[in-house]
Amino acid sequence: MSLVAGSYERFIWGYKLKHLKPSDTTTHPTLTLTPQFSYAAHLSPIKSIAVSSTVAASSAGDDTVKLYDLTTSTELGSALLHSSSATSLAFYTPSSFPTALLAGSTTGDLAIFDVDPFVLLKSVRVHNKPVNGVAVHPSGRVALTVARDGRLGMVNLVRGKRSYFGRLEKEMDVVSYFCGGDKFYMCGGDTLTVHESEDAMLVAKFNTNFAKRILCAAPAQNGLIVTGGEDCGITAWDYVAGEVAYNIKDAHKTRVKGVVVLSRNDKSDADGTPFLVASASSDGVIRVWDVRAISEGKSVPLSEANTKSRLTCLAGSSIKSLKAPLTKKDAPTNNEEQMEDS
């Protein structure tokens, strides 16, 4: 399991979540966050991080998008967005490895990249103001965008054209599909809404009641959405039951800037429900929580790491770092840059 965080100090931080064998004092395996790399990736603060399988991507205000191999801790390539910078990233992963990367920009465009080789395929004008969030349907046929113009955009990725453009009740900062793709959700201010993918019909609506903004969100199984924000806590919303599933008050001392739901790869778990949630705060702390312990009233993190930087985003993958077979077009070159070990 891998976690990658971005910071105001232009660095990206990579961690591995490893299981430790039981010791003489503990009867259950424990988890630890092991530093994998730290890398001065950009010339300005990191705006967005995306991780899929063993591939990661980052964007910043320097108008570049960079791609990384988490297995070898190397930079695979860099792409330049002319006259704009990427504000949100999302991978399309049809199987084990991603094939496309989508990036929303400050000019309201949606840039579509081929991952192998890492090149810009097309740029589609969707909004008139900067894009806040991007989501790709599991089929890879459509993508959703939300922006500062208070509108929801839909892009037909097969034709490379905008197919829908509608006004929302308020500006949304986050948009994402659930794993099955039948529903999607949006977050903006203190509001969380769930919609049908087919016709965007409203399924559920939640308000935090804290008058605090939701800054990040991640989908989980069984109809759960895990959010974090200015209230410094982590909340899981059950849109099926219409209630809060669990809540970690004061999970961090400062704002929660990123949450990741880590699925369990152990097939012995019958229902396959993920029980690990990672969170990152603006004071540089990354923590991993056991949802099962939270449901029992305990809120002690399983593991934590302090990057000693101001974190802006967090992304992760539950897939183990298996080295993919190299082809001619993705073989390492002399220009490939090696990341600095922590």
Side-chain angles (χ1 to χ4, degrees):
M1 297 180 181
S2 303
L3 292 173
V4 181
S7 69
Y8 279 105
E9 290 77 11
R10 305 174 290 110
F11 272 76
I12 61 171
W13 306 82
Y15 287 88
K16 285 290 184 183
L17 188 60
K18 295 184 178 181
H19 290 265
L20 298 180
K21 295 182 179 180
S23 61
D24 297 335
T25 58
T26 60
T27 57
H28 300 285
T30 57
L31 296 173
T32 181
L33 281 172
T34 303
Q36 186 182 8
F37 60 82
S38 60
Y39 180 52
H42 293 271
L43 301 177
S44 60
I46 309 298
K47 290 186 176 182
S48 180
I49 293 281
V51 176
S52 179
S53 183
T54 58
V55 181
S58 66
S59 67
D62 58 2
D63 300 349
T64 60
V65 178
K66 295 190 176 183
L67 203 65
Y68 313 94
D69 183 353
L70 297 180
T71 305
T72 57
S73 298
T74 54
E75 180 182 321
L76 296 177
S78 177
L80 179 65
L81 291 177
H82 299 285
S83 69
S84 68
S85 59
T87 56
S88 180
L89 301 173
F91 277 111
Y92 168 58
T93 309
S95 56
S96 300
F97 290 89
T99 59
L101 174 67
L102 275 66
S105 72
T106 54
T107 56
D109 295 341
L110 179 66
I112 305 172
F113 295 90
D114 189 355
V115 172
D116 186 15
F118 188 42
V119 294
L120 177 63
L121 299 177
K122 188 177 181 63
S123 184
V124 182
R125 173 56 62 92
V126 186
H127 299 271
N128 297 320
K129 292 186 178 181
V131 176
N132 292 331
V134 176
V136 187
H137 191 271
S139 66
R141 299 179 64 87
V142 296
L144 297 178
T145 59
V146 291
R148 292 185 184 177
D149 57 9
R151 294 178 180 269
L152 171 67
M154 177 181 289
V155 178
N156 186 324
L157 297 178
V158 178
R159 297 183 177 181
K161 295 182 179 181
R162 187 180 72 182
S163 58
Y164 175 80
F165 192 59
R167 184 177 296 277
L168 301 170
E169 292 183 0
K170 62 189 302 184
E171 177 186 336
M172 293 295 180
D173 301 315
V174 179
V175 62
S176 180
Y177 280 101
F178 284 92
C179 298
D182 58 332
K183 294 178 177 63
F184 69 92
Y185 64 86
M186 296 184 291
C187 302
D190 62 348
T191 304
L192 168 65
T193 59
V194 181
H195 304 260
E196 294 285 353
S197 295
E198 184 175 357
D199 54 8
M201 180 181 296
L202 182 65
V203 176
K205 183 177 181 179
F206 300 96
N207 290 95
T208 60
N209 296 324
F210 309 128
K212 301 288 186 179
R213 289 181 58 199
I214 298 174
L215 301 177
C216 52
Q221 295 178 356
N222 300 329
L224 295 183
I225 307 168
V226 182
T227 64
E230 292 182 346
D231 62 342
C232 305
I234 300 172
T235 306
W237 309 85
D238 188 342
Y239 80 84
V240 177
E243 61 183 12
V244 175
Y246 58 83
N247 175 260
I248 310 176
K249 295 182 178 180
D250 299 324
H252 291 269
K253 295 181 180 179
T254 57
R255 296 175 298 173
V256 179
K257 301 290 288 186
V259 290
V260 176
V261 178
L262 298 171
S263 301
R264 187 177 182 182
N265 293 325
D266 187 356
K267 296 182 180 180
S268 62
D269 192 354
D271 59 1
T273 302
F275 63 89
L276 295 178
V277 174
S279 60
S281 59
S282 56
D283 61 356
V285 176
I286 301 174
R287 289 174 175 170
V288 179
W289 309 85
D290 189 337
V291 173
R292 299 169 300 178
I294 296 170
S295 61
E296 297 173 358
K298 302 177 182 179
S299 57
V300 178
L302 289 177
S303 181
E304 81 172 49
N306 192 348
T307 63
K308 298 181 180 180
S309 64
R310 295 171 294 171
L311 297 182
T312 59
C313 48
L314 179 71
S317 172
S318 302
I319 299 177
K320 296 181 179 179
S321 295
L322 300 177
K323 189 175 180 61
L326 294 177
T327 61
K328 291 183 179 180
K329 60 181 178 180
D330 61 5
T333 63
N334 294 331
N335 295 328
E336 196 171 73
E337 189 170 354
Q338 181 72 28
M339 295 182 184
E340 298 175 1
D341 291 334
S342 295

